Amino acid sequence: MTTGTDITALAAAGVRAPGTPATPAGTGTDPGPDPVTGPATAEGLTKTKATPTAAAASPAAATRPPDRKAGAPGRGAAAALAVVRAAKTALVRTVAILALIALWEAAPRAGLVDATFLPPISEVAVAWWELAGDGQLAEHTRASLTRSFGGFGIAVAVAVPLGLLIGWYRPVADVLGPLLEVFRNTAALALLPVFVLLLGIGETSKVSIVVYACVWPILLNTISAVRNADPTLVRLARSMDLSTPRLFQKVILPASVPAVFTGIRLAGAVSILVLVAAEMIGAKAGLGYLINASQFNFAIPQMYAGIITISAIGVAFNQLLVTVERRLSLWRVPASA
């Protein structure tokens, strides 16, 4: 049995209920068949209801994951792209070194240089392996690192606090400034005979010359870092009524880290170079002694093996300092940001 409500709904949809007389087109409330689509049917009614809005409103459409855009790389493609980029970066960074190795190997064999004084790098590699195998390389490296890192550590412990003090307090800078200017312009190797005469040819003189050479880069960069701190940050901190110790801790020290580590990295390179020169003059062990003794004995491949070892130590030490600097400078915003 059809109720009044059902009849009204069917009439609104354009479907005539059974037993209901048809209304002529153009009269009453029945608009008649659409001149374009024709009379409304059950199939047409179903198609009309199946609109994008209805489909989007369904629970299945709401839970369906969005389709991946055309051309967007998947996880596998993104990982492969990252590997390609890393390989390209590594190639760019090592292409100059690889070219140097190839030139070093080819030049003596082609007769461009005398192989007696510059043997191919393959022969140097064999000599390095022999030194590493019989323990000589490890012994000399351990002696050099002990002296170099010992002097470097003492220099950092002395120069950083002294640089902060001189850079922050003007009266201290006025008193010590002329003395610093005299000694910082005196080469460390020029004072090596003085250190040997005063402290002997033992370990004390070698460590002392390393300390003297490493102090100046760290000290001067620390003083410059404190004096060149951003004055806007300093004024802002003072406007917040920060005490002098808190101002120094929260503003001056963080802002000084990059410049201080620049001096520390320079000192790290200086510590190795000066030590090698000191070991060539008076030592019984160390990479400098190895290089000097190999030269006197005309063991040229061993000499180059010692030089390459020093270079590798310097690169590794510098990378270590760069890593420490990044850990202490996490607050810095990258320039590309």
Side-chain angles (χ1 to χ4, degrees):
M1 179 177 182
T2 304
T3 63
T5 305
D6 296 336
I7 294 174
T8 304
L10 292 173
V15 179
R16 182 166 53 85
T20 304
T23 304
T27 62
T29 59
D30 188 2
D34 187 56
V36 178
T37 59
T41 60
E43 181 181 359
L45 183 62
T46 305
K47 291 182 178 180
T48 303
K49 291 184 179 181
T51 60
T53 303
S58 63
T63 58
R64 185 183 302 118
D67 294 335
R68 182 178 299 165
K69 294 183 180 179
R75 293 183 179 180
L81 184 60
V83 172
V84 171
R85 289 179 178 175
K88 183 178 179 180
T89 302
L91 180 61
V92 170
R93 292 182 176 180
T94 59
V95 63
I97 297 178
L98 295 177
L100 175 61
I101 293 175
L103 180 62
W104 190 348
E105 180 68 23
R109 297 189 182 278
L112 300 178
V113 295
D114 191 348
T116 303
F117 303 105
L118 184 63
I121 194 171
S122 57
E123 296 183 9
V124 175
V126 171
W128 187 92
W129 186 259
E130 291 176 354
L131 290 173
D134 59 16
Q136 293 186 50
L137 187 64
E139 178 185 354
H140 294 302
T141 302
R142 182 169 54 252
S144 293
L145 291 182
T146 302
R147 298 162 182 160
S148 179
F149 288 170
F152 174 79
I154 295 174
V156 172
V158 171
V160 172
L162 183 60
L164 295 175
L165 183 66
I166 295 174
W168 185 249
Y169 293 103
R170 179 64 62 176
V172 179
D174 294 338
V175 172
L176 298 180
L179 188 63
L180 296 180
E181 289 296 327
V182 170
F183 281 100
R184 80 182 186 92
N185 291 299
T186 304
L189 294 179
L191 295 177
L192 181 58
V194 178
F195 281 92
V196 173
L197 291 175
L198 296 178
L199 303 175
I201 61 174
E203 299 298 317
T204 305
S205 61
K206 297 177 181 60
V207 175
S208 299
I209 195 67
V210 172
V211 173
Y212 178 85
C214 293
V215 158
W216 303 111
I218 303 173
L219 181 64
L220 297 177
N221 278 273
T222 304
I223 294 173
S224 176
V226 174
R227 290 181 178 176
N228 294 328
D230 191 350
T232 303
L233 294 178
V234 176
R235 288 195 298 268
L236 180 61
R238 292 188 185 279
S239 66
M240 298 174 65
D241 295 331
L242 286 181
S243 61
T244 299
R246 294 286 292 175
L247 171 65
F248 196 79
Q249 177 186 1
K250 296 296 184 180
V251 178
I252 302 300
L253 283 181
S256 302
V257 167
V260 171
F261 263 89
T262 299
I264 291 176
R265 289 169 60 187
L266 292 174
V270 169
S271 67
I272 298 175
L273 299 178
V274 173
L275 177 64
V276 169
E279 289 176 343
M280 288 181 177
I281 295 177
K284 296 300 181 181
L287 293 174
Y289 168 78
L290 173 64
I291 295 172
N292 203 34
S294 299
Q295 179 193 9
F296 285 143
N297 296 327
F298 212 71
I300 304 302
Q302 286 81 357
M303 181 188 72
Y304 283 107
I307 295 174
I308 291 176
T309 303
I310 292 174
S311 300
I313 292 174
V315 171
F317 191 30
N318 181 72
Q319 290 301 317
L320 175 62
L321 294 177
V322 169
T323 303
V324 175
E325 178 185 0
R326 289 175 180 172
R327 294 295 299 272
L328 296 178
S329 303
L330 296 178
W331 57 270
R332 297 177 64 187
V333 179
S336 59

